[in-house]
Amino acid sequence: MKERMTAQRLKTLKGQEPLVWLTAYDFTQAQLAEEAGIDVILVGDSAGTTVMGYDSTLPVTLNDMVYHAKLVRRGAPNTMMAVDLPFLTYTSAEQALQSAGRLMQEALADAVKLEGGRRVMNAVDALISHDIPIIGHLGLTPQSVHAMGGYRVQARTHDSIRHLVDDAQALADHGVAALVLEGIPDRVAAYVTEQVPVPTIGIGAGNQTDGQVLVFHDCLGLSSCYPKFAKPFADVRRVMLSALEQYGSEVRSRAFPDDDHSYHVTDKEWDAFWSQEQTR
Ligand code: KIV
């Protein structure tokens, strides 16, 4: 069996074979991810859009994340599981500890992920000093959708590139185990990757990061629309839709269930029942 990934081991894999991360939100998805040999499962607050039907991650609560992480843990007991701290659950050191504590104790997370750089350093320091492994997240950080004015590619000006590089260095200095880089130009991500001693995991950040992460639904072609960077590796939505249409049509025509998908009683038992029934 493959060696289980840990936050400590992640750091030692910097610059080696690219790391494969995938989000998952339930038992079946987690089972598939584990069976496919995914290195790290991220229970992302993208659950808000992929499985809860919101149009952003902002309504996602800590209870939601605990619930989804528990499902994933059961499906993938042997895979490292990082779980997102949702919006406004790490605004102070104390709150971050309480929130991360729930994810670690109730859902058995191996690490928590939070969005932001130096502005969330109080939370980062509190978690690290209590031995809670952290994944940082910079660039297009969906919890800041309003501040960014939409889901826009970040770090496209020299000042914002500098800011991002300094944030990445600060997070690495303060002990994050890895850094997700989302929605930034490829050469900015490549430069950050060169500069920091921890693995960078890209999503919409080119192919020079130390690994990649994709949202489960985007990876399998289950989503109804895709960002530019997402490549569906199958068309599972089409497969599912055609199976559901076929189901509907076979029920309506009484082709389903057929003999093979029905239970039967012997003629003997049925005849005995029937003669009893006639004498009642
Ligand atoms: O919530 C999420 O799924 C994420 C990934 C897109 C990195 O943060």
Side-chain angles (χ1 to χ4, degrees), residues 73-216:
R73 181 77 299 166
R74 279 181 228 135
N78 301 311
T79 303
M80 178 173 170
M81 177 178 80
V83 185
D84 264 340
L85 283 168
F87 184 54
L88 295 184
T89 62
Y90 50 101
T91 58
S92 66
E94 296 69 31
Q95 192 198 20
L97 274 175
Q98 274 179 9
S99 305
R102 286 198 59 200
L103 296 174
M104 305 291 289
Q105 292 188 304
E106 294 177 39
L108 307 180
D110 298 302
V112 299
K113 178 166 83 55
L114 44 71
E115 296 183 7
R118 285 157 290 176
R119 74 179 172 82
V120 296
M121 216 48 97
N122 278 348
V124 170
D125 288 340
L127 297 177
I128 299 274
S129 69
H130 287 81
D131 297 333
I132 297 179
I134 304 183
I135 313 299
H137 185 163
L138 293 174
L140 193 171
T141 45
Q143 290 173 18
S144 304
V145 59
H146 295 304
M148 293 182 303
Y151 297 104
R152 296 170 196 280
V153 175
Q154 301 295 297
R156 276 184 145 158
T157 62
H158 66 278
D159 283 342
S160 59
I161 296 171
R162 177 79 267 147
H163 190 83
L164 182 106
V165 172
D166 290 346
D167 271 347
Q169 269 161 344
L171 286 170
D173 289 348
H174 285 244
V176 300
L179 205 49
V180 169
L181 298 175
E182 178 169 358
I184 60 174
D186 48 2
R187 56 179 162 173
V188 176
Y191 184 68
V192 172
T193 300
E194 235 175 77
Q195 294 297 304
V196 296
V198 296
T200 57
I201 307 300
I203 174 161
N207 73 357
Q208 294 305 303
T209 50
D210 296 301
Q212 297 290 329
V213 58
L214 263 189
V215 165
F216 188 91

Side-chain angles (χ1 to χ4, degrees), residues 8-280:
Q8 281 309 317
R9 199 165 155 243
L10 259 185
K11 292 187 186 174
T12 68
L13 297 176
K14 167 89 186 166
Q16 302 198 11
E17 207 179 302
L19 296 158
V20 186
W21 292 33
L22 181 70
T23 72
Y25 315 98
D26 70 23
F27 178 80
T28 308
Q29 294 165 0
Q31 272 191 325
L32 288 167
E34 182 158 297
E35 213 174 310
I38 297 297
D39 294 313
V40 176
I41 295 179
L42 171 66
V43 187
D45 60 356
S46 50
T49 51
T50 54
V51 297
M52 293 181 214
Y54 298 128
D55 63 4
S56 81
T57 59
L58 304 193
V60 177
T61 66
L62 189 59
N63 281 342
D64 292 332
M65 294 311 296
V66 169
Y67 171 76
H68 285 285
K70 282 181 172 177
L71 308 185
V72 168
R73 181 77 299 166
R74 279 181 228 135
N78 301 311
T79 303
M80 178 173 170
M81 177 178 80
V83 185
D84 264 340
L85 283 168
F87 184 54
L88 295 184
T89 62
Y90 50 101
T91 58
S92 66
E94 296 69 31
Q95 192 198 20
L97 274 175
Q98 274 179 9
S99 305
R102 286 198 59 200
L103 296 174
M104 305 291 289
Q105 292 188 304
E106 294 177 39
L108 307 180
D110 298 302
V112 299
K113 178 166 83 55
L114 44 71
E115 296 183 7
R118 285 157 290 176
R119 74 179 172 82
V120 296
M121 216 48 97
N122 278 348
V124 170
D125 288 340
L127 297 177
I128 299 274
S129 69
H130 287 81
D131 297 333
I132 297 179
I134 304 183
I135 313 299
H137 185 163
L138 293 174
L140 193 171
T141 45
Q143 290 173 18
S144 304
V145 59
H146 295 304
M148 293 182 303
Y151 297 104
R152 296 170 196 280
V153 175
Q154 301 295 297
R156 276 184 145 158
T157 62
H158 66 278
D159 283 342
S160 59
I161 296 171
R162 177 79 267 147
H163 190 83
L164 182 106
V165 172
D166 290 346
D167 271 347
Q169 269 161 344
L171 286 170
D173 289 348
H174 285 244
V176 300
L179 205 49
V180 169
L181 298 175
E182 178 169 358
I184 60 174
D186 48 2
R187 56 179 162 173
V188 176
Y191 184 68
V192 172
T193 300
E194 235 175 77
Q195 294 297 304
V196 296
V198 296
T200 57
I201 307 300
I203 174 161
N207 73 357
Q208 294 305 303
T209 50
D210 296 301
Q212 297 290 329
V213 58
L214 263 189
V215 165
F216 188 91
H217 293 57
D218 291 347
C219 183
L220 290 185
L222 260 173
S223 304
S224 45
C225 59
Y226 296 88
K228 171 185 161 86
F229 61 77
K231 174 176 171 185
F233 290 86
D235 192 353
V236 171
R237 194 179 179 91
R238 191 187 53 75
V239 171
M240 283 180 151
L241 193 59
S242 115
L244 294 176
E245 285 168 353
Q246 176 78 10
Y247 165 62
S249 124
E250 291 198 18
V251 168
R252 288 182 193 110
S253 69
R254 296 196 184 278
F256 173 83
D258 57 10
D259 243 24
D260 288 348
H261 296 92
S262 302
Y263 299 107
H264 305 290
V265 61
T266 59
D267 288 346
K268 184 169 164 245
E269 291 302 327
W270 182 251
D271 291 346
F273 163 76
W274 195 239
S275 41
Q276 268 175 4
E277 192 70 1
Q278 306 308 302
T279 57
R280 272 160 65 97

